[in-house]
Amino acid sequence: MAKVSIIVPVYNVDKYLRKCMDSLINQTLKDIEIICINDGSTDNSLKILEEYKSKDTRIILLDQENSGQSIARNKGMEIATGEYIGFVDPDDWIDLDYYEKLYNSAIHSNSDIATAGIVRVTGIKKRKFLTFEKEIITNDNQTKFELCDVPEKSYIWNKIYKTEKIKEVGLKFEEDIIFEDCIFTPQALFFLGKMVIVPNTYYYYLRRNNSTVKQRSQKANADSIYAHKKASDFIKEHNIDISSHEPQTYRFKIFGLSIFKIRQKGNKKQYSLRTI
């Protein structure tokens, strides 16, 4: 049994995939399995995965017709044998000590979830998007949601989850939609037990214009509304109070058109101006 099973759904990311895979195979935690699911890529992604698999026996490669990220992730979870499960998107990368720090903290604190910081990468700019200064261990759902900034940052990939607990509660990704992590993450935080915050290691989240999330098709917009509503309903149903960290948006309009927006979370404000 591996210590961590890393699940990587792959679709048409040959420009970014090598950086991602290099960050995985060079982890300081060696006892891992890397489950890559090629989701019907039409570029060179599958060829790159086969190349890495030929050099590293820890890589498990599944190839399927294009079925979507949720189905790919669910397949990965079905075959995962690690004590913990982690997720990495194929255009992102992680610090080389990332899984060692998360795993060791989870084991030492007997936690079901270990959470790390996030660096958001846009072009050549890097910004710490979620950062932690010290280790925090909590079993309180309210605190877990606040520390992880959920639902605002309902990301699955800056965490590891105890495999036994994931399977015990039957957590899976809802299929045939995108923004599926908006539904999965609140459920994982609520149904799993203790969580540990792990400082000084980061997941690097690449924001690119042609990513699935950025492609604002009619279906993507509908999926976003559906997933966020389902997450909101879940949070309300289980009496999680997110008011302390939920952002408030104030819009200034002329003739019904928003020209100025203030987004405030706590004492922090973000301003945006729309050019007409």
Side-chain angles (χ1 to χ4, degrees):
M1 176 189 291
K3 291 178 177 177
V4 179
S5 297
I6 306 164
I7 297 171
V8 189
V10 177
Y11 178 71
N12 287 356
V13 284
D14 57 1
K15 292 180 181 179
Y16 313 97
L17 188 53
R18 291 184 186 278
K19 185 167 189 174
C20 173
M21 294 300 293
D22 285 342
S23 76
L24 298 183
I25 64 173
N26 291 306
Q27 286 292 296
T28 55
L29 181 68
K30 302 303 181 185
D31 190 4
I32 59 176
E33 62 178 9
I34 306 166
I35 304 172
C36 300
I37 305 96
N38 180 57
D39 188 32
S41 296
T42 56
D43 63 0
N44 289 319
S45 293
L46 179 58
K47 185 182 293 185
I48 292 170
L49 292 174
E50 289 172 337
E51 173 192 325
Y52 276 84
K53 177 177 168 54
S54 69
K55 298 175 181 178
D56 196 320
T57 58
R58 298 173 299 173
I59 295 174
I60 299 167
L61 177 56
L62 305 179
D63 188 24
Q64 66 179 31
E65 293 183 2
N66 182 243
S67 305
Q69 190 166 249
S70 293
I71 290 177
R73 284 173 172 160
N74 284 339
K75 280 191 176 180
M77 287 199 295
E78 285 174 9
I79 67 168
T81 65
E83 295 175 63
Y84 287 82
I85 289 175
F87 300 93
V88 174
D89 282 353
D91 49 357
D92 300 337
W93 63 96
I94 53 179
D95 280 335
L96 296 184
D97 62 2
Y98 181 80
Y99 281 116
E100 181 177 19
K101 284 187 173 179
L102 265 65
Y103 176 81
N104 286 343
S105 293
I107 291 297
H108 292 156
S109 62
N110 192 28
S111 294
D112 293 344
I113 304 174
T115 301
I118 302 169
V119 174
R120 187 163 70 180
V121 182
T122 307
I124 61 172
K125 296 181 180 179
K126 294 181 180 179
R127 180 170 74 88
K128 287 183 178 178
F129 194 50
L130 184 66
T131 186
F132 304 111
E133 296 180 356
K134 61 180 180 179
E135 182 180 87
I136 302 172
I137 302 168
T138 182
N139 203 26
D140 177 69
N141 282 325
Q142 194 79 41
T143 306
K144 287 192 282 184
F145 275 72
E146 184 175 346
L147 288 170
C148 294
D149 198 6
V150 170
E152 175 75 2
K153 296 182 177 70
S154 290
Y155 302 122
I156 60 165
W157 24 248
N158 68 318
K159 306 170 181 70
I160 60 172
Y161 313 83
K162 198 165 191 175
T163 308
E164 179 184 11
K165 292 290 186 178
I166 287 280
K167 295 186 176 181
E168 182 181 300
V169 300
L171 266 183
K172 291 185 177 181
F173 292 95
E174 186 161 340
E175 299 181 350
D176 300 321
I177 66 166
I178 58 176
F179 300 98
E180 70 281 1
D181 49 352
C182 294
I183 301 171
F184 184 96
T185 303
Q187 294 181 1
L189 291 182
F190 183 83
F191 289 120
L192 274 65
K194 194 187 300 180
M195 181 183 78
V196 58
I197 294 295
V198 184
N200 303 320
T201 192
Y202 289 92
Y203 184 102
Y204 293 81
Y205 165 40
L206 178 65
R207 294 272 290 178
R208 55 189 179 93
N209 291 331
N210 61 340
S211 67
T212 302
V213 171
K214 295 287 282 185
Q215 293 172 9
R216 303 305 290 183
S217 65
Q218 187 175 356
K219 174 175 169 41
N221 286 327
D223 284 355
S224 176
I225 293 170
Y226 168 79
H228 285 89
K229 183 180 185 307
K230 190 162 185 178
S232 177
D233 289 346
F234 179 88
I235 289 168
K236 289 177 183 176
E237 179 186 346
H238 292 89
N239 299 314
I240 303 297
D241 181 9
I242 60 171
S243 60
S244 64
H245 63 281
E246 184 179 28
Q248 302 296 321
T249 300
Y250 307 93
R251 300 175 188 274
F252 298 84
K253 297 183 178 183
I254 296 180
F255 304 118
L257 181 67
S258 295
I259 61 167
F260 190 66
K261 181 171 71 173
I262 299 176
R263 198 162 182 269
Q264 181 170 348
K265 181 184 292 187
N267 294 324
K268 293 183 179 179
K269 293 183 179 180
Q270 294 177 335
Y271 302 89
S272 62
L273 178 67
R274 176 171 179 169
T275 304
I276 302 176

